[in-house]
């Protein structure tokens, strides 16, 4: 069993996402990434010819080229280094697991680690203190939206009733964690995730009744009236509201993009350029230099321009191609009825793919309102997806050997 890899990835999740204040002076997240890199390099496990790996590395190199030319070189450098760290995490998820059994254990580590962070967030009323990626209530809600489908689909693929109940409880905790954040953007992102999970559920009537009762009971019991009052303000557009300011930042970001359409202003440099694209009188008599775009898309376009956006979209197209390939191969081998013992190991793969789908939906919808382009969430999802592809490819090769003999 590849226990060291599981420990490293579990430590990465806790130290990178949670950033426990007790351990921060020791920079354990950096140490963990260094150990993951060593585990990948000695012996060399990274497949650099993999298209996804090449594109992700190209994306980071493209960011690095901006560093000497950006208005704020330090922030361009800092964000590039952050992205490089994300890539190391991605490679860990993609190449440290050797078989489907280890891969499933890794997913359990991911679910359990995020469960712990969800409990910490609930105890602190919607955020993990000291965390760079889960400290803000909106970022915390994004995290819960991403992990929720992993708990849900893990429940569906389990045979044991006890494990189903445990995973249902974990999923409800993720939901309560989202509610504890009082994030309107988190609520907007939660709805399509729940709808997608329902659409991908085979026994819809059965699970709709069970989950409906559990969900309603949980929300009636634990959701305060103030939460629904906050959600009712989603459609309101008031002067100096967060919605109005976001629209203002997006307008400035669009001007920034049009003025730097090919290469952008550099990673992490939206806040250092927004002043030059504001209205003459600012917004309500104030200028907003130093403020982020509050959107994945209006961070990507003005900061990395068309060239960076094309590379980013190319990465996502490759992720979709990998998804289609994985589903086609799994369905193909199921139709052939190859060895039942081998098939049993890969039976739950479609549920993992659906969880990845829902996680991506959560990221790209919730992230519409957040500056999370350089957060590790997307890169972790890409790594988990690529890791599954590698496992399936090796499994198919073994199957072909068995059939040939």
């Amino acid at each position: 069993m590849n226990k060291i890899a599981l420990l490293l990835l579990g430590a990465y999740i806790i130290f990178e996402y949670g950033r426990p204040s007790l351990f921060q002076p020791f920079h354990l997240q950096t140490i963990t990434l260094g150990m993951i890199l060593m585990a990948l390099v000695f012996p060399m496990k990274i497949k650099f010819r993999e298209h996804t790996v090449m594109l992700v590395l190209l994306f980071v190199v493209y960011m690095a080229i901006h560093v000497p030319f950006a208005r704020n070189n330090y922030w361009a450098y800092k964000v590039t280094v952050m992205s490089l760290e994300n890539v190391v995490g991605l490679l860990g998820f993609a190449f440290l697991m050797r078989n489907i059994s280890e891969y499933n254990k890794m997913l359990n580590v991911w679910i359990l680690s995020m469960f712990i962070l969800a409990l910490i967030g609930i105890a602190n009323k919607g955020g993990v203190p000291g965390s760079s990626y889960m400290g803000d209530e909106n970022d915390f809600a994004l995290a819960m939206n991403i992990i929720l489908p992993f708990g849900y689909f893990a429940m569906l693929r389990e045979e044991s009733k006890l494990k189903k109940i445990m995973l249902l409880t974990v999923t409800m905790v993720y939901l309560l964690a989202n509610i504890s954040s009082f994030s309107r953007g988190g609520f907007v992102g939660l709805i399509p995730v729940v709808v997608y999970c329902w659409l991908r559920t085979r026994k819809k009537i059965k699970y709709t009744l069970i989950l409906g009762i559990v969900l309603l009971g949980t929300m009636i019991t634990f959701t305060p009236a103030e939460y629904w009052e906050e959600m009712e303000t989603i459609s309101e557009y008031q002067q100096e509201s967060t919605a109005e300011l976001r629209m203002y930042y997006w307008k400035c970001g669009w001007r920034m993009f049009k003025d730097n359409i090919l290469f952008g202003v550099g990673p992490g440099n939206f806040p250092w350029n927004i002043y030059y694209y504001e209205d003459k009188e600012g917004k309500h008599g104030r200028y907003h230099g130093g403020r982020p775009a509050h959107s994945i898309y209006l961070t990507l376009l003005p900061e990395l321009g068309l060239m960076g956006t094309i590379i980013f979209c190319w990465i996502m197209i490759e992720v979709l191609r990998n998804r289609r390939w994985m589903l086609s191969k799994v369905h193909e081998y199921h139709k052939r009825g190859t060895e039942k013992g081998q098939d049993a190991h890969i039976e739950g793969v479609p549920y993992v793919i659906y969880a990845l789908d829902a996680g991506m939906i959560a990221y790209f919808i919730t992230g519409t309102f957040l500056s999370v382009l350089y957060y590790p969430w997307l890169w972790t999802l890409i790594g988990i997806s690529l890791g599954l592809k590698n496992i399936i490819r090796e499994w198919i090769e073994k199957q072909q050997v068995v059939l040939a003999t």
Side-chain angles (χ1 to χ4, degrees), residues 110-314:
W110 162 254
I111 291 168
L112 176 60
S113 300
M114 293 303 297
F115 174 70
I116 294 170
L117 293 174
L119 291 176
I120 294 172
I122 292 172
N124 289 277
K125 299 181 179 179
V128 178
S131 172
S132 300
Y133 310 116
M134 298 173 69
D136 176 81
E137 64 275 11
N138 296 304
D139 293 341
F140 180 69
L142 167 66
M144 294 302 103
N145 284 347
I146 289 173
I147 192 60
L148 186 146
F150 283 89
Y152 176 76
F153 285 112
M155 178 196 69
L156 292 186
R157 74 172 186 264
E158 277 293 344
E159 296 294 334
S160 165
K161 289 184 179 180
L162 178 60
K163 289 182 179 179
K164 279 184 178 292
I165 293 172
M166 291 173 63
L167 286 165
L168 176 60
T169 303
V170 167
T171 305
M172 290 302 104
V173 169
Y174 294 151
L175 177 64
L176 288 175
N178 185 307
I179 292 170
S180 73
S181 71
F182 277 69
S183 169
R184 289 173 294 181
F187 180 77
V188 170
L190 175 65
I191 293 173
V193 169
V194 171
V195 170
Y196 183 84
C197 288
W198 180 79
L199 290 173
R200 288 299 187 182
T201 303
R202 290 178 182 174
K203 300 177 182 178
K204 288 185 173 61
I205 296 177
K206 174 184 174 181
Y207 282 103
T208 298
L209 288 173
I210 295 173
L211 292 174
I213 292 170
V214 174
L215 186 64
L216 286 174
T218 301
M219 298 188 77
I220 290 171
T221 304
F222 296 102
T223 305
E226 292 85 352
Y227 177 80
W228 297 114
E229 292 174 4
E230 182 72 12
M231 295 309 110
E232 287 174 0
T233 65
I234 289 175
S235 60
E236 293 180 6
Y237 187 86
Q238 300 172 345
Q239 281 198 338
E240 299 198 61
S241 67
T242 55
E244 187 196 23
L245 287 176
R246 277 190 172 90
M247 293 296 292
Y248 178 67
Y249 298 152
W250 296 353
K251 182 172 70 173
C252 295
W254 185 249
R255 293 171 180 168
M256 196 185 303
F257 166 63
K258 290 193 295 183
D259 203 34
N260 302 271
I261 193 165
L262 195 57
F263 299 110
V265 298
N269 266 248
F270 181 100
W272 311 105
N273 286 270
I274 185 175
Y275 170 80
Y276 302 98
Y277 297 95
E278 292 198 67
D279 297 340
K280 288 184 179 180
E281 67 282 1
K283 189 68 174 175
H284 303 302
R286 298 196 308 273
Y287 293 101
H288 296 264
R291 298 296 297 171
H294 289 286
S295 171
I296 293 170
Y297 311 105
L298 270 302
T299 300
L300 176 63
L301 286 167
E303 288 194 357
L304 300 181
L306 277 179
M307 293 295 293
T309 302
I310 289 170
I311 298 172
F312 183 86
C313 292
W314 197 355

Side-chain angles (χ1 to χ4, degrees), residues 73-86:
N73 309 105
Y74 172 74
W75 273 98
Y77 165 78
K78 186 174 180 179
V79 170
T80 301
V81 170
M82 183 192 306
S83 299
L84 184 59
E85 291 174 350
N86 293 340

